[in-house]
Short mmCIF file of all heavy atoms in Angstrom, two decimals:
data_model
loop_
_atom_site.label_atom_id
_atom_site.label_comp_id
_atom_site.label_asym_id
_atom_site.label_seq_id
_atom_site.Cartn_x
_atom_site.Cartn_y
_atom_site.Cartn_z
N ASP E 1245 -4.92 7.31 7.39
CA ASP E 1245 -5.06 8.27 6.29
C ASP E 1245 -5.33 9.66 6.84
O ASP E 1245 -5.88 9.80 7.92
CB ASP E 1245 -6.23 7.87 5.39
CG ASP E 1245 -5.88 6.74 4.44
OD1 ASP E 1245 -4.69 6.37 4.41
OD2 ASP E 1245 -6.78 6.23 3.75
N ASP E 1247 -7.36 11.81 5.52
CA ASP E 1247 -8.64 12.36 5.09
C ASP E 1247 -9.78 12.09 6.06
O ASP E 1247 -10.93 12.34 5.74
CB ASP E 1247 -9.00 11.82 3.71
CG ASP E 1247 -9.08 10.31 3.70
OD1 ASP E 1247 -8.82 9.69 4.74
OD2 ASP E 1247 -9.41 9.74 2.64
N GLN E 1249 -11.12 9.42 6.92
CA GLN E 1249 -12.01 8.30 6.62
C GLN E 1249 -11.81 7.20 7.66
O GLN E 1249 -12.70 6.40 7.91
CB GLN E 1249 -11.76 7.77 5.21
CG GLN E 1249 -12.34 8.69 4.15
CD GLN E 1249 -12.41 8.01 2.81
OE1 GLN E 1249 -11.45 7.98 2.07
NE2 GLN E 1249 -13.56 7.46 2.48
N ARG E 1350 -15.57 10.70 2.98
CA ARG E 1350 -14.68 11.84 2.84
C ARG E 1350 -15.55 13.08 2.89
O ARG E 1350 -16.37 13.29 2.00
CB ARG E 1350 -13.99 11.73 1.48
CG ARG E 1350 -12.51 11.96 1.54
CD ARG E 1350 -11.95 11.89 0.14
NE ARG E 1350 -10.53 11.55 0.16
CZ ARG E 1350 -9.58 12.40 0.46
NH1 ARG E 1350 -9.88 13.62 0.79
NH2 ARG E 1350 -8.31 12.01 0.44
MG1 MG R 2868 -9.52 8.12 1.66
#
Side-chain angles (χ1 to χ4, degrees):
D1245 282 353
D1247 59 357
Q1249 285 195 276
R1350 227 182 204 283

